[in-house]
Amino acid sequence: EPEVTQTPSHQVTQMGQEVILRCVPISNHLYFYWYRQILGQKVEFLVSFYNNEISEKSEIFDDQFSVERPDGSNFTLKIRSTKLEDSAMYFCASSENSGGAEADTQYFGPGTRLTVL
Amino acid sequence: AQTVTQSQPEMSVQEAETVTLSCTYDTSESDYYLFWYKQPPSRQMILVIRQEAYKQQNATENRFSVNFQKAAKSFSLKISDSQLGDAAMYFCAYQGGTGANSKLTFGKGITLSVRP
């Protein structure tokens, strides 16, 4: 069964450093998302991406964040200068564009645990 | 803005018994989708079940079923014949139908433990 994959599973970085989190969405999916979950809290939407553009972003997704689809398979989240409060689990998700009137289910990757020291 | 409320932080069920997890939401939209996701200790988010708001019939997936009350804006998950592997955090999520593939809004989650 196809699945979303994410690397690395755990990233430790120093405050102020740049990190890039990588995701490989399901191959026929066209919508991509990043969510984050601070330990013990709910999952929060960061950004959605379609047709090489950001579709929607939350207030959390400020200028320190960026997303990119550098090739036909990867989808990345970059945090330019990490802060302590960026420590969280980051989930990538994807959904297909079935072309119908209904929204497609989002399938999540296993997450990357980011620890900022 | 849409909100999702899961007011019970924890629940416990005996193995083989049935448990119901509650969720309410607030929205002004008429078309939307509701989901339950499971998050085991590995922290992966796994889709459990999906409900389209326009469908009157409650969704069912094997031992998992929902009780969708649109007027009351309630969306509970029933797990029948609970198994040890059902122990996890369960999140209720809302997705608006106004834009294709719009964001998910999650509740705070509920931790379900299963007693052997």
Side-chain angles (χ1 to χ4, degrees):
Chain A
E1 185 176 327
E3 57 184 22
V4 178
T5 59
Q6 290 185 243
T7 53
S9 57
H10 188 194
Q11 173 93 45
V12 181
T13 189
Q14 295 290 326
M15 190 170 56
Q17 294 296 304
E18 174 184 287
V19 295
I20 297 176
L21 309 183
R22 291 183 168 79
C23 168
V24 179
I26 295 172
S27 62
N28 65 330
H29 285 189
L30 298 177
Y31 285 88
F32 314 118
Y33 313 82
W34 284 101
Y35 293 84
R36 81 169 185 192
Q37 184 185 31
I38 295 172
L39 186 63
Q41 298 187 23
K42 65 179 176 180
V43 179
E44 301 172 293
F45 168 77
L46 291 178
V47 66
S48 59
F49 191 85
Y50 170 71
N51 200 25
N52 285 318
E53 288 184 348
I54 289 175
S55 303
E56 186 178 2
K57 60 182 180 180
S58 71
E59 292 176 352
I60 303 168
F61 194 86
D62 61 21
D63 292 343
Q64 291 298 313
F65 292 89
S66 62
V67 289
E68 191 179 31
R69 186 149 164 86
D71 53 43
S73 60
N74 289 285
F75 179 53
T76 61
L77 174 69
K78 182 194 290 187
I79 309 175
R80 257 180 275 281
S81 178
T82 51
K83 308 186 194 94
L84 295 176
E85 54 265 37
D86 293 329
S87 293
M89 194 78 163
Y90 288 81
F91 293 101
C92 174
S94 71
S95 62
E96 66 177 326
N97 179 16
S98 60
E102 293 198 19
D104 298 296
T105 296
Q106 294 178 28
Y107 293 92
F108 283 73
T112 292
R113 183 155 64 105
L114 176 65
T115 302
V116 181
L117 303 175
Chain B
Q2 293 78 25
T3 58
V4 177
T5 302
Q6 294 178 257
S7 55
Q8 308 154 305
E10 296 178 357
M11 285 199 76
S12 180
V13 63
Q14 190 77 34
E15 195 176 4
E17 298 294 307
T18 296
V19 64
T20 298
L21 311 182
S22 301
C23 173
T24 59
Y25 58 93
D26 190 25
T27 183
S28 58
E29 297 177 313
S30 57
D31 291 329
Y32 50 87
Y33 309 86
L34 297 164
F35 303 84
W36 280 96
Y37 281 88
K38 171 185 177 180
Q39 187 179 47
S42 66
R43 297 191 72 184
Q44 174 140 18
M45 297 289 287
I46 302 166
L47 176 68
V48 175
I49 201 163
R50 161 188 167 127
Q51 174 80 45
E52 290 82 359
Y54 67 84
K55 289 186 178 177
Q56 291 188 333
Q57 187 172 9
N58 289 321
T60 299
E61 286 287 342
N62 301 314
R63 297 183 295 108
F64 299 88
S65 61
V66 299
N67 183 5
F68 173 48
Q69 302 288 330
K70 191 172 184 179
K73 295 180 182 171
S74 168
F75 182 61
S76 60
L77 174 70
K78 186 171 84 170
I79 306 174
S80 304
D81 185 25
S82 297
Q83 299 175 1
L84 295 177
D86 294 334
M89 192 93 166
Y90 286 82
F91 290 94
C92 178
Y94 171 99
Q95 182 179 35
T98 53
N101 298 289
S102 55
K103 67 182 180 187
L104 290 168
T105 299
F106 287 86
K108 287 187 176 180
I110 177 170
T111 300
L112 177 67
S113 58
V114 181
R115 304 186 302 274

PDB file of all heavy atoms in Angstrom, chain A residues 86-114:
ATOM      1  N   ASP A  86      10.072  25.968  18.160  1.00  0.00           N
ATOM      2  CA  ASP A  86       9.839  25.166  16.956  1.00  0.00           C
ATOM      3  C   ASP A  86       9.961  23.674  17.237  1.00  0.00           C
ATOM      4  O   ASP A  86       9.652  22.852  16.364  1.00  0.00           O
ATOM      5  CB  ASP A  86      10.832  25.550  15.848  1.00  0.00           C
ATOM      6  CG  ASP A  86      10.620  26.951  15.319  1.00  0.00           C
ATOM      7  OD1 ASP A  86       9.463  27.418  15.312  1.00  0.00           O
ATOM      8  OD2 ASP A  86      11.619  27.592  14.934  1.00  0.00           O
ATOM      9  N   SER A  87      10.406  23.325  18.430  1.00  0.00           N
ATOM     10  CA  SER A  87      10.486  21.905  18.789  1.00  0.00           C
ATOM     11  C   SER A  87       9.092  21.299  18.746  1.00  0.00           C
ATOM     12  O   SER A  87       8.170  21.767  19.436  1.00  0.00           O
ATOM     13  CB  SER A  87      11.072  21.739  20.192  1.00  0.00           C
ATOM     14  OG  SER A  87      12.423  22.149  20.224  1.00  0.00           O
ATOM     15  N   ALA A  88       8.945  20.277  17.937  1.00  0.00           N
ATOM     16  CA  ALA A  88       7.622  19.689  17.717  1.00  0.00           C
ATOM     17  C   ALA A  88       7.785  18.481  16.805  1.00  0.00           C
ATOM     18  O   ALA A  88       8.860  18.212  16.276  1.00  0.00           O
ATOM     19  CB  ALA A  88       6.672  20.689  17.059  1.00  0.00           C
ATOM     20  N   MET A  89       6.679  17.783  16.633  1.00  0.00           N
ATOM     21  CA  MET A  89       6.596  16.738  15.615  1.00  0.00           C
ATOM     22  C   MET A  89       6.019  17.394  14.378  1.00  0.00           C
ATOM     23  O   MET A  89       5.002  18.086  14.469  1.00  0.00           O
ATOM     24  CB  MET A  89       5.666  15.629  16.109  1.00  0.00           C
ATOM     25  CG  MET A  89       5.747  14.353  15.334  1.00  0.00           C
ATOM     26  SD  MET A  89       7.196  13.420  15.826  1.00  0.00           S
ATOM     27  CE  MET A  89       6.769  11.810  15.167  1.00  0.00           C
ATOM     28  N   TYR A  90       6.657  17.193  13.239  1.00  0.00           N
ATOM     29  CA  TYR A  90       6.187  17.773  11.987  1.00  0.00           C
ATOM     30  C   TYR A  90       5.689  16.658  11.087  1.00  0.00           C
ATOM     31  O   TYR A  90       6.417  15.715  10.774  1.00  0.00           O
ATOM     32  CB  TYR A  90       7.308  18.562  11.311  1.00  0.00           C
ATOM     33  CG  TYR A  90       7.613  19.857  12.027  1.00  0.00           C
ATOM     34  CD1 TYR A  90       8.423  19.879  13.162  1.00  0.00           C
ATOM     35  CD2 TYR A  90       7.059  21.060  11.604  1.00  0.00           C
ATOM     36  CE1 TYR A  90       8.671  21.054  13.851  1.00  0.00           C
ATOM     37  CE2 TYR A  90       7.316  22.244  12.276  1.00  0.00           C
ATOM     38  CZ  TYR A  90       8.118  22.231  13.396  1.00  0.00           C
ATOM     39  OH  TYR A  90       8.365  23.410  14.076  1.00  0.00           O
ATOM     40  N   PHE A  91       4.448  16.783  10.679  1.00  0.00           N
ATOM     41  CA  PHE A  91       3.824  15.783   9.825  1.00  0.00           C
ATOM     42  C   PHE A  91       3.614  16.336   8.427  1.00  0.00           C
ATOM     43  O   PHE A  91       3.112  17.442   8.252  1.00  0.00           O
ATOM     44  CB  PHE A  91       2.456  15.367  10.376  1.00  0.00           C
ATOM     45  CG  PHE A  91       2.507  14.620  11.669  1.00  0.00           C
ATOM     46  CD1 PHE A  91       2.228  15.257  12.858  1.00  0.00           C
ATOM     47  CD2 PHE A  91       2.817  13.266  11.689  1.00  0.00           C
ATOM     48  CE1 PHE A  91       2.262  14.569  14.067  1.00  0.00           C
ATOM     49  CE2 PHE A  91       2.851  12.566  12.880  1.00  0.00           C
ATOM     50  CZ  PHE A  91       2.581  13.233  14.075  1.00  0.00           C
ATOM     51  N   CYS A  92       3.971  15.521   7.470  1.00  0.00           N
ATOM     52  CA  CYS A  92       3.638  15.790   6.080  1.00  0.00           C
ATOM     53  C   CYS A  92       2.399  14.967   5.740  1.00  0.00           C
ATOM     54  O   CYS A  92       2.214  13.853   6.273  1.00  0.00           O
ATOM     55  CB  CYS A  92       4.812  15.377   5.209  1.00  0.00           C
ATOM     56  SG  CYS A  92       4.536  15.480   3.428  1.00  0.00           S
ATOM     57  N   ALA A  93       1.549  15.492   4.900  1.00  0.00           N
ATOM     58  CA  ALA A  93       0.382  14.750   4.436  1.00  0.00           C
ATOM     59  C   ALA A  93       0.178  15.021   2.955  1.00  0.00           C
ATOM     60  O   ALA A  93       0.646  16.045   2.428  1.00  0.00           O
ATOM     61  CB  ALA A  93      -0.865  15.142   5.221  1.00  0.00           C
ATOM     62  N   SER A  94      -0.507  14.125   2.295  1.00  0.00           N
ATOM     63  CA  SER A  94      -0.828  14.348   0.890  1.00  0.00           C
ATOM     64  C   SER A  94      -2.215  13.828   0.578  1.00  0.00           C
ATOM     65  O   SER A  94      -2.747  12.959   1.286  1.00  0.00           O
ATOM     66  CB  SER A  94       0.216  13.688  -0.018  1.00  0.00           C
ATOM     67  OG  SER A  94       0.129  12.275   0.004  1.00  0.00           O
ATOM     68  N   SER A  95      -2.803  14.389  -0.446  1.00  0.00           N
ATOM     69  CA  SER A  95      -4.094  13.907  -0.929  1.00  0.00           C
ATOM     70  C   SER A  95      -4.099  13.995  -2.450  1.00  0.00           C
ATOM     71  O   SER A  95      -3.408  14.840  -3.032  1.00  0.00           O
ATOM     72  CB  SER A  95      -5.255  14.702  -0.319  1.00  0.00           C
ATOM     73  OG  SER A  95      -5.181  16.065  -0.688  1.00  0.00           O
ATOM     74  N   GLU A  96      -4.891  13.130  -3.057  1.00  0.00           N
ATOM     75  CA  GLU A  96      -4.920  13.149  -4.514  1.00  0.00           C
ATOM     76  C   GLU A  96      -5.920  14.194  -4.976  1.00  0.00           C
ATOM     77  O   GLU A  96      -6.736  14.699  -4.225  1.00  0.00           O
ATOM     78  CB  GLU A  96      -5.280  11.772  -5.050  1.00  0.00           C
ATOM     79  CG  GLU A  96      -6.674  11.305  -4.724  1.00  0.00           C
ATOM     80  CD  GLU A  96      -6.977   9.964  -5.358  1.00  0.00           C
ATOM     81  OE1 GLU A  96      -6.477   9.695  -6.466  1.00  0.00           O
ATOM     82  OE2 GLU A  96      -7.730   9.186  -4.755  1.00  0.00           O
ATOM     83  N   ASN A  97      -5.846  14.521  -6.202  1.00  0.00           N
ATOM     84  CA  ASN A  97      -6.824  15.430  -6.787  1.00  0.00           C
ATOM     85  C   ASN A  97      -7.714  14.582  -7.675  1.00  0.00           C
ATOM     86  O   ASN A  97      -7.441  14.403  -8.859  1.00  0.00           O
ATOM     87  CB  ASN A  97      -6.119  16.514  -7.585  1.00  0.00           C
ATOM     88  CG  ASN A  97      -7.114  17.468  -8.230  1.00  0.00           C
ATOM     89  OD1 ASN A  97      -8.275  17.500  -7.855  1.00  0.00           O
ATOM     90  ND2 ASN A  97      -6.648  18.240  -9.196  1.00  0.00           N
ATOM     91  N   SER A  98      -8.759  14.039  -7.068  1.00  0.00           N
ATOM     92  CA  SER A  98      -9.593  13.098  -7.815  1.00  0.00           C
ATOM     93  C   SER A  98     -10.475  13.798  -8.827  1.00  0.00           C
ATOM     94  O   SER A  98     -11.103  13.154  -9.655  1.00  0.00           O
ATOM     95  CB  SER A  98     -10.445  12.285  -6.842  1.00  0.00           C
ATOM     96  OG  SER A  98     -11.280  13.153  -6.097  1.00  0.00           O
ATOM     97  N   GLY A  99     -10.536  15.112  -8.719  1.00  0.00           N
ATOM     98  CA  GLY A  99     -11.275  15.872  -9.720  1.00  0.00           C
ATOM     99  C   GLY A  99     -12.758  15.988  -9.448  1.00  0.00           C
ATOM    100  O   GLY A  99     -13.473  16.662 -10.162  1.00  0.00           O
ATOM    101  N   GLY A 100     -13.215  15.334  -8.385  1.00  0.00           N
ATOM    102  CA  GLY A 100     -14.641  15.400  -8.065  1.00  0.00           C
ATOM    103  C   GLY A 100     -14.944  16.578  -7.162  1.00  0.00           C
ATOM    104  O   GLY A 100     -14.089  17.395  -6.843  1.00  0.00           O
ATOM    105  N   ALA A 101     -16.190  16.649  -6.759  1.00  0.00           N
ATOM    106  CA  ALA A 101     -16.602  17.754  -5.891  1.00  0.00           C
ATOM    107  C   ALA A 101     -16.194  17.528  -4.451  1.00  0.00           C
ATOM    108  O   ALA A 101     -16.154  18.450  -3.657  1.00  0.00           O
ATOM    109  CB  ALA A 101     -18.115  17.937  -5.978  1.00  0.00           C
ATOM    110  N   GLU A 102     -15.830  16.303  -4.121  1.00  0.00           N
ATOM    111  CA  GLU A 102     -15.497  15.994  -2.737  1.00  0.00           C
ATOM    112  C   GLU A 102     -14.029  16.199  -2.457  1.00  0.00           C
ATOM    113  O   GLU A 102     -13.174  15.986  -3.324  1.00  0.00           O
ATOM    114  CB  GLU A 102     -15.858  14.533  -2.436  1.00  0.00           C
ATOM    115  CG  GLU A 102     -17.339  14.274  -2.478  1.00  0.00           C
ATOM    116  CD  GLU A 102     -17.674  12.976  -1.759  1.00  0.00           C
ATOM    117  OE1 GLU A 102     -16.861  12.497  -0.958  1.00  0.00           O
ATOM    118  OE2 GLU A 102     -18.767  12.451  -2.014  1.00  0.00           O
ATOM    119  N   ALA A 103     -13.763  16.603  -1.222  1.00  0.00           N
ATOM    120  CA  ALA A 103     -12.367  16.694  -0.786  1.00  0.00           C
ATOM    121  C   ALA A 103     -11.805  15.292  -0.632  1.00  0.00           C
ATOM    122  O   ALA A 103     -12.518  14.347  -0.311  1.00  0.00           O
ATOM    123  CB  ALA A 103     -12.282  17.446   0.534  1.00  0.00           C
ATOM    124  N   ASP A 104     -10.540  15.163  -0.886  1.00  0.00           N
ATOM    125  CA  ASP A 104      -9.880  13.872  -0.776  1.00  0.00           C
ATOM    126  C   ASP A 104      -9.248  13.706   0.590  1.00  0.00           C
ATOM    127  O   ASP A 104      -8.758  14.668   1.169  1.00  0.00           O
ATOM    128  CB  ASP A 104      -8.811  13.757  -1.859  1.00  0.00           C
ATOM    129  CG  ASP A 104      -9.419  13.823  -3.252  1.00  0.00           C
ATOM    130  OD1 ASP A 104     -10.200  12.916  -3.586  1.00  0.00           O
ATOM    131  OD2 ASP A 104      -9.131  14.783  -3.982  1.00  0.00           O
ATOM    132  N   THR A 105      -9.237  12.495   1.047  1.00  0.00           N
ATOM    133  CA  THR A 105      -8.677  12.210   2.366  1.00  0.00           C
ATOM    134  C   THR A 105      -7.179  12.484   2.375  1.00  0.00           C
ATOM    135  O   THR A 105      -6.464  12.159   1.425  1.00  0.00           O
ATOM    136  CB  THR A 105      -8.943  10.740   2.729  1.00  0.00           C
ATOM    137  OG1 THR A 105     -10.357  10.550   2.822  1.00  0.00           O
ATOM    138  CG2 THR A 105      -8.292  10.375   4.044  1.00  0.00           C
ATOM    139  N   GLN A 106      -6.715  13.074   3.467  1.00  0.00           N
ATOM    140  CA  GLN A 106      -5.289  13.340   3.629  1.00  0.00           C
ATOM    141  C   GLN A 106      -4.638  12.171   4.356  1.00  0.00           C
ATOM    142  O   GLN A 106      -5.115  11.718   5.395  1.00  0.00           O
ATOM    143  CB  GLN A 106      -5.088  14.632   4.421  1.00  0.00           C
ATOM    144  CG  GLN A 106      -5.592  15.852   3.665  1.00  0.00           C
ATOM    145  CD  GLN A 106      -5.455  17.141   4.434  1.00  0.00           C
ATOM    146  OE1 GLN A 106      -4.570  17.290   5.279  1.00  0.00           O
ATOM    147  NE2 GLN A 106      -6.307  18.093   4.126  1.00  0.00           N
ATOM    148  N   TYR A 107      -3.544  11.708   3.809  1.00  0.00           N
ATOM    149  CA  TYR A 107      -2.787  10.609   4.391  1.00  0.00           C
ATOM    150  C   TYR A 107      -1.479  11.173   4.937  1.00  0.00           C
ATOM    151  O   TYR A 107      -0.774  11.915   4.259  1.00  0.00           O
ATOM    152  CB  TYR A 107      -2.523   9.522   3.350  1.00  0.00           C
ATOM    153  CG  TYR A 107      -3.798   8.845   2.919  1.00  0.00           C
ATOM    154  CD1 TYR A 107      -4.517   9.305   1.822  1.00  0.00           C
ATOM    155  CD2 TYR A 107      -4.309   7.774   3.643  1.00  0.00           C
ATOM    156  CE1 TYR A 107      -5.708   8.705   1.452  1.00  0.00           C
ATOM    157  CE2 TYR A 107      -5.495   7.161   3.272  1.00  0.00           C
ATOM    158  CZ  TYR A 107      -6.197   7.642   2.179  1.00  0.00           C
ATOM    159  OH  TYR A 107      -7.380   7.049   1.827  1.00  0.00           O
ATOM    160  N   PHE A 108      -1.186  10.768   6.165  1.00  0.00           N
ATOM    161  CA  PHE A 108      -0.055  11.353   6.881  1.00  0.00           C
ATOM    162  C   PHE A 108       1.175  10.467   6.845  1.00  0.00           C
ATOM    163  O   PHE A 108       1.076   9.234   6.839  1.00  0.00           O
ATOM    164  CB  PHE A 108      -0.447  11.588   8.351  1.00  0.00           C
ATOM    165  CG  PHE A 108      -1.323  12.794   8.548  1.00  0.00           C
ATOM    166  CD1 PHE A 108      -2.649  12.764   8.162  1.00  0.00           C
ATOM    167  CD2 PHE A 108      -0.811  13.950   9.104  1.00  0.00           C
ATOM    168  CE1 PHE A 108      -3.461  13.880   8.342  1.00  0.00           C
ATOM    169  CE2 PHE A 108      -1.607  15.064   9.291  1.00  0.00           C
ATOM    170  CZ  PHE A 108      -2.932  15.038   8.910  1.00  0.00           C
ATOM    171  N   GLY A 109       2.330  11.111   6.866  1.00  0.00           N
ATOM    172  CA  GLY A 109       3.571  10.405   7.060  1.00  0.00           C
ATOM    173  C   GLY A 109       3.812  10.145   8.535  1.00  0.00           C
ATOM    174  O   GLY A 109       3.029  10.575   9.384  1.00  0.00           O
ATOM    175  N   PRO A 110       4.905   9.452   8.863  1.00  0.00           N
ATOM    176  CA  PRO A 110       5.176   9.078  10.252  1.00  0.00           C
ATOM    177  C   PRO A 110       5.692  10.227  11.105  1.00  0.00           C
ATOM    178  O   PRO A 110       5.790  10.085  12.320  1.00  0.00           O
ATOM    179  CB  PRO A 110       6.244   7.994  10.116  1.00  0.00           C
ATOM    180  CG  PRO A 110       6.929   8.307   8.829  1.00  0.00           C
ATOM    181  CD  PRO A 110       5.880   8.889   7.935  1.00  0.00           C
ATOM    182  N   GLY A 111       6.012  11.355  10.491  1.00  0.00           N
ATOM    183  CA  GLY A 111       6.455  12.519  11.245  1.00  0.00           C
ATOM    184  C   GLY A 111       7.957  12.609  11.414  1.00  0.00           C
ATOM    185  O   GLY A 111       8.678  11.601  11.354  1.00  0.00           O
ATOM    186  N   THR A 112       8.423  13.832  11.599  1.00  0.00           N
ATOM    187  CA  THR A 112       9.821  14.105  11.979  1.00  0.00           C
ATOM    188  C   THR A 112       9.785  14.835  13.301  1.00  0.00           C
ATOM    189  O   THR A 112       9.125  15.867  13.434  1.00  0.00           O
ATOM    190  CB  THR A 112      10.531  14.986  10.935  1.00  0.00           C
ATOM    191  OG1 THR A 112      10.703  14.254   9.735  1.00  0.00           O
ATOM    192  CG2 THR A 112      11.901  15.433  11.460  1.00  0.00           C
ATOM    193  N   ARG A 113      10.485  14.263  14.276  1.00  0.00           N
ATOM    194  CA  ARG A 113      10.549  14.939  15.574  1.00  0.00           C
ATOM    195  C   ARG A 113      11.724  15.904  15.547  1.00  0.00           C
ATOM    196  O   ARG A 113      12.876  15.485  15.405  1.00  0.00           O
ATOM    197  CB  ARG A 113      10.710  13.914  16.691  1.00  0.00           C
ATOM    198  CG  ARG A 113      10.721  14.538  18.080  1.00  0.00           C
ATOM    199  CD  ARG A 113      10.269  13.547  19.129  1.00  0.00           C
ATOM    200  NE  ARG A 113      11.169  12.410  19.240  1.00  0.00           N
ATOM    201  CZ  ARG A 113      12.036  12.238  20.224  1.00  0.00           C
ATOM    202  NH1 ARG A 113      12.143  13.141  21.168  1.00  0.00           N
ATOM    203  NH2 ARG A 113      12.797  11.170  20.261  1.00  0.00           N
ATOM    204  N   LEU A 114      11.406  17.191  15.661  1.00  0.00           N
ATOM    205  CA  LEU A 114      12.437  18.228  15.656  1.00  0.00           C
ATOM    206  C   LEU A 114      12.681  18.697  17.078  1.00  0.00           C
ATOM    207  O   LEU A 114      11.744  19.100  17.771  1.00  0.00           O
ATOM    208  CB  LEU A 114      12.008  19.416  14.785  1.00  0.00           C
ATOM    209  CG  LEU A 114      12.969  20.610  14.775  1.00  0.00           C
ATOM    210  CD1 LEU A 114      14.300  20.230  14.134  1.00  0.00           C
ATOM    211  CD2 LEU A 114      12.349  21.799  14.047  1.00  0.00           C
TER     212      LEU A 114
END
